[in-house]
Amino acid sequence: MTVIEPEADGEGWWVGAPSAVAADGAVYLAYRMRRPLGEGRGHAVAVARSADGERFETLLVIGKEEMDAESLERPALVRTPEGVWRLYLSCATTGTKHWRVEVLEAADPAGFDPRTSRVVLPGDAATGVKDPVIVHHEGRWHLWASCHPLAEDHQADQMVTDYATSDDGLEWRWHGTALDRRAGSWDARGVRVSAVRFTPGGIVAAYDGRASASENYEERTGIAVGTTPGALTASGSEPWGRSPYSRGGLRYLEVLPTGDGGHRLYYEMTRADGAHELRTELRAGAGAG
């Protein structure tokens, strides 16, 4: 079912890139709102709350101007073991292909203040860093981020997923590429981890993939597995999920356990008119991711 609709109909109008946290009997959702190129791109990130995971009330909206960014992409919403809320924001550096990640902290999801932001993943002249997935597991913070080469503008859409760890979720140590592209496959051009679950048998991750530069913005979802968080292997020769409409985009899959062995999924999906909407569904049993 659709939980958030784009601002307008047609290609270039998107809402999605969700990150969700279940806490205190509610579901909190952060997501990106985007307009067509030339009309604002990723102009804002919203944080919303729901009692049932389906009907959301907006708590706050952060505009790209408040983050001194040309565009905003997928946020990561996290609650620390101490109860502090963090919102990691992917920010495009104006006039470049470079991306960085900044973090806001608050006692409540409605209290994030852009004036208090700090850069935690700066990237560098050779690499843009964005769309982090952040998980706290067994006393350590784990991060998987989409990394893009910046040496040539026409190659900057390529992406791999690198892995990092942290003691506090703020200062990170990089450990190399966790998930790479597969030549000749549907994910040959780029792979971006979107959700990670630690299981008794190892790691299960959802990821976005595309075969070519022309499929940018219309990635499909795949599944990857591994015995350690820093080494993931794509599973299967076809995407796990895709939209039946337009160019098939189904991306940024987020997975929340429901407590009864099932999962609630959130994802961005392409509609018949080319717009992207934010959807949710329940999966019984093990579910994806």
Side-chain angles (χ1 to χ4, degrees):
M1 67 172 291
T2 302
V3 291
I4 310 289
E5 294 187 352
E7 298 173 83
D9 299 334
E11 293 191 9
W13 295 96
W14 308 340
V15 63
S19 175
V21 175
D24 304 326
V27 174
Y28 294 89
L29 187 68
Y31 59 91
R32 179 263 299 119
M33 296 180 286
R34 181 169 168 135
R35 297 168 180 157
L37 294 175
E39 297 186 44
R41 292 180 62 190
H43 66 94
V45 162
V47 178
R49 179 186 184 278
S50 173
D52 61 7
E54 297 179 353
R55 291 172 288 272
F56 285 88
E57 60 172 335
T58 302
L59 299 177
L60 83 163
V61 176
I62 296 173
K64 65 178 184 178
E65 296 83 5
E66 297 175 90
M67 299 303 300
D68 190 23
E70 188 171 305
S71 184
L72 298 176
E73 197 49 70
R74 191 195 195 186
L77 182 64
V78 172
R79 193 184 195 189
T80 73
E82 297 76 29
V84 176
W85 288 86
R86 289 176 179 163
L87 182 65
Y88 297 81
L89 293 172
S90 298
C91 304
T93 303
T94 301
T96 74
K97 296 286 186 178
H98 177 266
W99 287 85
R100 66 189 187 275
V101 176
E102 304 193 20
V103 67
L104 312 177
E105 292 188 324
D108 181 271
F112 292 116
D113 185 349
R115 294 172 298 179
T116 67
S117 69
R118 58 178 287 190
V119 177
V120 289
L121 300 175
D124 55 37
T127 308
V129 181
K130 61 196 281 283
D131 303 331
V133 173
I134 299 172
V135 178
H136 188 266
H137 179 71
E138 294 184 346
R140 173 180 281 191
W141 291 93
H142 304 261
L143 177 147
W144 299 261
S146 177
C147 295
H148 299 252
L150 300 179
E152 301 176 74
D153 281 358
H154 69 283
Q155 299 291 342
D157 70 285
Q158 296 188 76
M159 57 187 180
V160 299
T161 295
D162 285 0
Y163 169 67
T165 57
S166 174
D167 296 325
D168 60 5
L170 300 171
E171 302 290 336
W172 295 93
R173 299 178 294 276
W174 291 101
H175 303 291
T177 297
L179 183 65
D180 208 339
R181 300 154 294 179
R182 296 183 293 176
S185 185
W186 67 272
D187 50 9
R189 184 73 177 181
V191 289
R192 174 177 57 215
V193 165
S194 65
V196 176
R197 289 290 173 261
F198 287 83
T199 74
I203 311 299
V204 180
Y207 73 95
D208 300 338
R210 61 172 175 264
S212 66
S214 65
E215 293 176 350
N216 194 10
Y217 313 134
E218 296 293 339
E219 295 84 5
R220 279 82 68 200
T221 293
I223 302 297
V225 297
T227 57
T228 63
L232 302 175
T233 301
S235 177
S237 59
E238 296 294 332
W240 174 85
R242 60 179 296 152
S243 170
Y245 305 112
S246 189
R247 290 186 288 161
L250 193 159
R251 60 191 198 148
Y252 294 116
L253 178 69
E254 171 69 294
V255 184
L256 278 185
T258 57
D260 58 0
H263 294 80
R264 178 173 287 281
L265 310 182
Y266 293 96
Y267 51 87
E268 178 180 322
M269 193 182 88
T270 304
R271 306 190 314 195
D273 67 351
H276 294 188
E277 64 185 17
L278 204 166
R279 297 179 62 87
T280 189
E281 62 181 86
L282 286 172
R283 292 285 181 110

